[in-house]
Amino acid sequence: MKREQLIAAVKEQMPERRWLHTLGVMETSVILANRFGGEPVKADLAAILHDYCKYWPVQEQAKIIRENDLPQDLLAFDKELWHSHAGAYIAKAQFGIEDEEILDAIRYHTSGREQMTLLDKIVCLADYMEPGRDFPAVGLIRELAEHSLEKALIAGFDSTIGFLLSKGKRIYPLTILTRNDLIHQINKE
């Protein structure tokens, strides 16, 4: 499927505000890819699709997770995590995306994972800091992203974890493992 067709398909799946967010993630992903030696075309494609299933009914997202051998533990945690795994599945099944690096960047843009690839980091970070984002830590995240994907992502995950703690919500274990792995990567430098 051509990029323009993909964009049209994604745009019709979400409200205008979320589409503007997606455009911001696309733009920011390309900037970060160029800044840190990533592949801008892959970053753009993963960013286009990263929130494809975000506004699907949660029952449909859960069904995709249950019926397609996706991580079942997701269903015990916040529904905000589900669209990333459902979206990666749909990107492959519906749009024929076969590049596992792109699918993983979609799959892990909410939780992260240990040993994130460069593309994983780019899309995850772009989702945190695109120009339309406005939350207390976003300025720090943008500042850190001038020089370090890892430090900026740690600040992003710190913000998410702090938010979840303030709401009394459970934290997906992979997010904690991701944060710890990023700290380990920085300490090795």
Side-chain angles (χ1 to χ4, degrees):
M1 182 175 278
K2 292 186 178 177
R3 183 177 185 272
E4 296 76 31
Q5 294 170 304
L6 212 55
I7 285 173
V10 171
K11 186 176 181 181
E12 72 181 29
Q13 294 291 315
M14 56 186 61
E16 182 67 18
R17 193 179 97 250
R18 181 53 54 164
W19 174 244
L20 293 174
H21 162 74
T22 298
L23 287 173
V25 175
M26 291 161 57
E27 174 189 329
T28 305
S29 289
V30 170
I31 289 167
L32 292 171
N34 286 324
R35 183 178 298 158
F36 292 103
E39 296 181 51
V41 172
K42 285 187 176 189
D44 180 63
L45 182 55
I48 291 169
L49 291 166
H50 86 283
D51 274 350
Y52 183 74
C53 293
K54 178 96 173 164
Y55 289 91
W56 288 21
V58 291
Q59 299 86 350
E60 193 168 342
Q61 293 177 46
K63 182 179 178 185
I64 290 169
I65 291 167
R66 270 195 302 277
E67 294 179 0
N68 295 286
D69 200 31
L70 301 179
Q72 299 300 298
D73 66 333
L74 282 169
L75 299 174
F77 291 89
D78 199 284
K79 293 170 183 63
E80 291 296 316
L81 294 167
W82 300 0
H83 75 280
S84 57
H85 285 266
Y89 175 82
I90 293 297
K92 185 173 188 172
Q94 184 173 327
F95 297 119
I97 305 297
E98 295 289 335
D99 187 320
E100 282 299 319
E101 189 177 14
I102 291 169
L103 295 171
D104 281 344
I106 297 166
R107 189 175 289 122
Y108 296 109
H109 83 270
T110 55
S111 65
R113 66 174 172 159
E114 292 178 288
Q115 299 300 307
M116 291 176 82
T117 66
L118 179 58
L119 186 60
D120 292 346
K121 292 175 183 178
I122 286 168
V123 175
C124 184
L125 183 56
D127 189 40
Y128 269 119
M129 62 174 267
E130 60 91 1
R133 289 288 201 197
D134 184 23
F135 58 94
V138 76
L140 172 64
I141 294 167
R142 289 179 181 135
E143 183 181 317
L144 292 169
E146 291 293 322
H147 306 287
S148 172
L149 286 169
E150 294 75 19
K151 289 178 181 177
L153 281 167
I154 290 166
F157 286 119
D158 285 352
S159 174
T160 296
I161 292 166
F163 174 79
L164 292 171
L165 289 171
S166 76
K167 299 293 181 189
K169 292 192 172 195
R170 296 174 67 206
I171 300 167
Y172 190 51
L174 189 55
T175 301
I176 301 294
L177 294 172
T178 301
R179 182 185 179 279
N180 289 344
D181 187 60
L182 291 165
I183 291 170
H184 179 70
Q185 288 176 38
I186 288 171
N187 289 338
K188 284 191 337 188
E189 293 175 357

